[in-house]
Coordinates of all heavy atoms in Angstrom, one line a residue:
A23 N -108.7 -112.0 24.9 CA -107.5 -111.8 24.1 C -106.9 -110.4 24.4 O -105.7 -110.2 24.3 CB -107.8 -112.0 22.7
A24 N -107.8 -109.5 24.8 CA -107.3 -108.1 25.1 C -106.3 -108.1 26.2 O -105.6 -107.2 26.4 CB -108.5 -107.2 25.4
L25 N -106.4 -109.1 27.1 CA -105.5 -109.2 28.2 C -104.1 -109.6 27.7 O -103.1 -109.6 28.5 CB -105.9 -110.3 29.2 CG -107.2 -110.1 29.9 CD1 -107.7 -111.3 30.7 CD2 -107.1 -108.9 30.8
A26 N -103.9 -109.9 26.5 CA -102.7 -110.4 26.0 C -101.5 -109.6 26.4 O -100.4 -110.1 26.7 CB -102.7 -110.6 24.5
G27 N -101.7 -108.3 26.4 CA -100.6 -107.4 26.7 C -100.2 -107.3 28.2 O -99.2 -106.7 28.5
C28 N -101.1 -107.8 29.0 CA -101.0 -107.7 30.4 C -99.7 -108.0 31.0 O -99.2 -107.4 31.9 CB -102.0 -108.7 31.1 SG -103.2 -107.8 32.0
H29 N -99.1 -109.1 30.5 CA -97.9 -109.6 31.0 C -96.7 -108.8 30.5 O -95.6 -109.0 31.0 CB -97.7 -111.1 30.7 CG -98.0 -111.9 31.8 ND1 -97.1 -112.2 32.8 CD2 -99.2 -112.5 32.2 CE1 -97.7 -112.9 33.7 NE2 -98.9 -113.1 33.4
S30 N -96.9 -108.0 29.5 CA -95.7 -107.4 28.9 C -95.3 -106.1 29.5 O -94.5 -105.4 29.0 CB -96.0 -107.2 27.4 OG -97.3 -106.7 27.2
G31 N -95.9 -105.7 30.6 CA -95.4 -104.5 31.4 C -95.1 -103.4 30.5 O -95.6 -103.3 29.4
G32 N -94.2 -102.5 30.8 CA -93.7 -101.5 29.9 C -94.8 -100.7 29.3 O -95.2 -100.9 28.1
A33 N -95.3 -99.6 30.0 CA -96.3 -98.8 29.4 C -95.9 -98.2 28.1 O -94.8 -97.7 28.0 CB -96.7 -97.7 30.5
G34 N -96.8 -98.2 27.1 CA -96.5 -97.5 25.9 C -95.6 -98.3 25.0 O -95.4 -97.9 23.8
T35 N -95.0 -99.4 25.4 CA -94.2 -100.2 24.5 C -95.1 -101.3 24.0 O -95.8 -102.0 24.8 CB -93.0 -100.8 25.3 OG1 -92.4 -99.8 26.1 CG2 -92.0 -101.4 24.3
S36 N -95.1 -101.6 22.7 CA -95.9 -102.7 22.3 C -95.1 -103.9 22.1 O -94.0 -103.9 21.6 CB -96.7 -102.3 21.0 OG -95.9 -102.5 19.9
F37 N -95.6 -105.0 22.6 CA -94.8 -106.3 22.5 C -95.5 -107.2 21.5 O -96.6 -107.5 21.6 CB -94.8 -106.9 23.9 CG -93.9 -106.1 24.9 CD1 -94.3 -105.0 25.5 CD2 -92.6 -106.5 25.1 CE1 -93.5 -104.3 26.4 CE2 -91.7 -105.8 25.9 CZ -92.2 -104.7 26.6
T38 N -94.7 -107.7 20.6 CA -95.2 -108.5 19.5 C -94.7 -109.9 19.5 O -93.8 -110.2 20.2 CB -94.8 -107.8 18.1 OG1 -93.4 -107.8 18.1 CG2 -95.4 -106.4 18.0

Side-chain angles (χ1 to χ4, degrees):
L25 294 172
C28 242
H29 257 276
S30 44
T35 313
S36 80
F37 288 83
T38 58

